[in-house]
Amino acid sequence: PSRDCLSSASCLRCCRERVRQPGTMGERMIRNQVLEQRDWAPPSGVPLWPAFEAAAVKLLGDWDVMRMAVSGGWSDGDPAFERAKLIDDALANFSQRAKSTSGLDPRDVEMFLETTMSDRFNADLEQNTASSVARVLVKVFDEVRNNVTTGVRHVLGDVAFDHAQSTQAGFLMEFVPQADPNAEAQ
C-alpha cells in the first residue's frame, strides 16, 4: 500500500479487498471529526500501536452487539459517530494503560464496554455479553505492548497489518465485512 492509500479511491484495490477506506463521505467525516476531538495521544514507545488501533476498530466494529446497535439506530444521535467515539474512548483507555507495567484485567474492559454501550446506545447488555471481545482486546494489547505481532496479525491479516503500520492510520481503517462461511447462498 502507498503512504497516501487511505485518501485514494484505489485503496480497495491495493489492499486486496480486505480493507478499504470508510465507505461513505459521512463515515470519513465522522472518523476525522473524532480524530480532531481527541484529547489523548497514542502512547510513545509502542511501535505496533497503529496496528492495535486497526485491530480495535475491527474487533469492536465486528462485535455483534455493536453491529446491531448501529444498524438498529439504538443511539440518540448518529450511531456511526457513537461507534467511532466508543472505539476512540476504548483506545484512550488502552493508551493510558500502555504506560503501566501492570497487566490489564479483561473484566475492566468488559465493564467499560457495558457502561459505554449503555451510555452511548441505550443498550443494557446481559452479563458476559462483552467478555469475549474484551478478552481478545486485552490479549492483543498485551502482545502489542511486548512487540509481539501474533494476535494482531491474526485479527487483521498480514495485508491489513502492513497497511496499518505503513500508513500509521489504524483508526481510519474500515474493514470489508467477511462473508459468513456458514450462511446459505441466496
Side-chain angles (χ1 to χ4, degrees), residues 12-31:
L12 182 63
R13 243 187 345 270
C14 79
C15 294
R16 298 187 200 147
E17 299 187 22
R18 283 214 25 127
V19 68
R20 65 177 164 85
Q21 179 66 21
T24 65
M25 185 53 115
E27 181 74 20
R28 184 176 302 138
M29 288 172 40
I30 288 168
R31 287 186 185 226

Side-chain angles (χ1 to χ4, degrees), residues 51-98:
F52 178 72
E53 278 195 0
V57 168
K58 180 164 181 22
L59 288 167
L60 291 171
D62 284 352
W63 182 31
D64 290 342
V65 175
M66 180 69 74
R67 286 194 309 212
M68 287 187 297
V70 171
S71 66
W74 294 356
S75 69
D76 292 332
D78 180 349
F81 179 80
E82 298 299 337
R83 174 185 55 211
K85 280 300 291 176
L86 182 146
I87 293 169
D88 192 62
D89 290 347
L91 288 167
N93 288 329
F94 279 107
S95 177
Q96 279 188 311
R97 292 305 298 250

Side-chain angles (χ1 to χ4, degrees), residues 38-44 49 53 91-92 94-96 99:
R38 263 190 185 171
D39 59 356
W40 61 276
S44 59
W49 184 259
E53 278 195 0
L91 288 167
F94 279 107
S95 177
Q96 279 188 311
K99 300 163 188 146

Side-chain angles (χ1 to χ4, degrees), residues 7 9 14 20 29 43 49 51 55 58 65 88 97-98 107-108 115 131 141 146 148-149 167 169 174-175 178 186:
S7 62
C14 79
R20 65 177 164 85
M29 288 172 40
W49 184 259
K58 180 164 181 22
V65 175
D88 192 62
R97 292 305 298 250
R107 290 176 297 204
D108 292 338
T115 301
S131 64
F141 174 71
N146 293 301
V148 176
T149 64
T167 62
E174 183 176 327
F175 296 86
Q178 301 297 308
Q186 295 181 355

